[in-house]
Amino acid sequence: MMFEFNFKERLDWILYTLKHKVAFLKVEKQLRGRNTFRGLLHDLDKVFLYMIPWINLEDAHKHHVKKSSHHLSADKPKTLENIEEAVIDWECAPLTKPDKPLNAYETLYKYYPEYIKDVLPVIQKWLPHQIIREEDKIKSISGTYRDVTERGSVKEIEDVHVSKG
C-alpha cells in the first residue's frame, strides 16, 4: 500500500499543536494557579499521531477528538477534570489558533449548548468576567456575543475604556 508523506505539512501540524500546548499550559497556570500532570500531557497524542507516516493527518485529528476525554463530543465521561480541561482548551485556543477566535464562554454557547449546565459553573468560577446576562446579549455579525450597556455601542465602550488609561 502506498502512502504520501509530506514532511513540511506534518511539521506544520506538529508546530501548530505544540504552540497550542504552550498556550494551554500558560492558561492552565493562570486559571488553576499551577500546572498539572494532565496539562503536561494535553494533546501530546496528536503530536505522536502526526509523526506516523501512514496515518492521514485528518484521521489523526479525528482519532484524537474521539478518544480524548477533554473533547466533550468524545464518548467519555464528563467528569469535572474533563470539563475543566475543555474550558482551558477553549480559553487558550484564540491565543494560537486564528481559526478559533472564541473564548470559553462563547465556545460553550456556540458549539456545546447541550453542556451548559455542566460547564457553566467552571466558567463562572474561573472566568466570571465572560458571563453575559441574557438581557445584555446581542448577536454580532461574527456570531459571537458582546456586552452592550446603556453607555452605547461596543466601539464607544472600548473608546471609554481606552481613554481611562
Side-chain angles (χ1 to χ4, degrees), residues 72-145:
L72 299 183
S73 58
D75 190 22
K76 301 281 184 185
K78 308 303 181 256
T79 65
L80 180 59
E81 277 186 331
N82 295 341
I83 291 168
E84 288 177 347
E85 189 173 352
V87 168
I88 295 166
D89 203 20
W90 299 341
E91 188 62 18
C92 75
L95 301 176
T96 60
K97 298 180 175 187
D99 58 318
K100 296 182 179 170
L102 305 181
N103 65 32
Y105 182 78
E106 294 165 334
T107 300
L108 172 64
Y109 275 84
K110 184 166 184 171
Y111 296 108
Y112 304 98
E114 67 272 28
Y115 297 112
I116 289 172
K117 83 171 181 53
D118 298 315
V119 178
L120 195 55
V122 174
I123 294 174
Q124 287 171 324
K125 176 177 133 188
W126 283 346
L127 302 159
H129 61 281
Q130 290 183 1
I131 307 300
I132 301 170
R133 296 179 322 193
E134 286 297 319
E135 60 269 17
D136 291 338
K137 285 182 184 176
I138 62 165
K139 197 155 187 160
S140 73
I141 294 168
S142 68
T144 61
Y145 290 103

Side-chain angles (χ1 to χ4, degrees), residues 34-100:
R34 63 185 170 83
N35 287 118
T36 63
F37 184 68
R38 185 177 175 132
L40 294 171
L41 296 178
H42 178 81
D43 284 357
L44 271 185
D45 63 314
K46 280 200 303 191
V47 173
F48 290 109
L49 287 169
Y50 294 157
M51 291 181 190
I52 302 172
W54 56 87
I55 297 179
N56 174 288
L57 291 168
E58 288 82 13
D59 289 343
H61 177 76
K62 287 177 188 174
H63 177 79
H64 164 75
V65 170
K66 185 177 178 182
K67 298 295 183 181
S68 296
S69 58
H70 69 275
H71 286 282
L72 299 183
S73 58
D75 190 22
K76 301 281 184 185
K78 308 303 181 256
T79 65
L80 180 59
E81 277 186 331
N82 295 341
I83 291 168
E84 288 177 347
E85 189 173 352
V87 168
I88 295 166
D89 203 20
W90 299 341
E91 188 62 18
C92 75
L95 301 176
T96 60
K97 298 180 175 187
D99 58 318
K100 296 182 179 170

